[in-house]
Amino acid sequence: MPSVNVYTEDDAVIQQLKELLVPLQAFVAKRLSCGELELQPREVSVRVIKPVASLMIYPLEIEMSAYAFAERVEQEDIICREVVAFLKESEPRLPDMHVWLTLSELGHSWEE
């Protein structure tokens, strides 16, 4: 299950982001789908986090984590830029942002 953590210290930005969570979840699910794996929005966890203390580089930082399928690895920088473009098109008043995509092996806690 991919996850998206959105970090900002600005309450006004948090309010803007609340309206974008469902569209962002759908966008990330579509963009991280690959091969025969078609992700559904409900399979992407999205959180907005306001740090208690931080030394953030940008006013808005987004960390995405997902399994390292080859197609994602080949497209990782493009995916990050597309998330920025999607958010800026959806809400032009959002501040400067940076997006990271961490692709790795995956373990999980549920039993089948």
Side-chain angles (χ1 to χ4, degrees), residues 10 19 30 60 81 98 105:
D10 188 330
E19 296 180 20
K30 181 178 178 183
L60 181 58
R81 288 191 291 270
H98 197 77
E105 299 281 332

Side-chain angles (χ1 to χ4, degrees), residues 76-112:
E76 59 191 352
D77 291 337
I78 294 167
I79 293 168
C80 290
R81 288 191 291 270
E82 288 176 348
V83 169
V84 171
F86 171 79
L87 289 170
K88 286 302 243 178
E89 288 172 16
S90 299
E91 178 50 78
R93 297 175 298 156
L94 286 173
D96 288 339
M97 69 185 80
H98 197 77
V99 175
W100 292 270
L101 174 57
T102 302
L103 300 172
S104 62
E105 299 281 332
L106 175 68
H108 54 77
S109 63
W110 62 86
E111 295 181 31
E112 295 189 28

Side-chain angles (χ1 to χ4, degrees), residues 13-85:
V13 172
I14 291 171
Q15 291 305 313
Q16 293 170 329
L17 289 168
K18 283 182 180 179
E19 296 180 20
L20 297 174
L21 293 183
V22 171
L24 176 62
Q25 185 181 45
F27 181 82
V28 170
K30 181 178 178 183
R31 196 55 192 89
L32 292 180
S33 293
C34 53
E36 295 181 17
L37 174 67
E38 183 177 342
L39 288 171
Q40 299 303 309
R42 62 180 165 71
E43 296 176 291
V44 178
S45 178
V46 180
R47 301 170 201 90
V48 177
I49 300 166
K50 182 177 180 180
V52 174
S54 71
L55 293 172
M56 293 176 55
I57 299 169
Y58 291 87
L60 181 58
E61 297 180 0
I62 300 169
E63 295 177 338
M64 299 186 300
S65 299
Y67 186 80
F69 288 112
E71 294 150 79
R72 291 176 182 165
V73 173
E74 293 169 4
Q75 298 276 312
E76 59 191 352
D77 291 337
I78 294 167
I79 293 168
C80 290
R81 288 191 291 270
E82 288 176 348
V83 169
V84 171

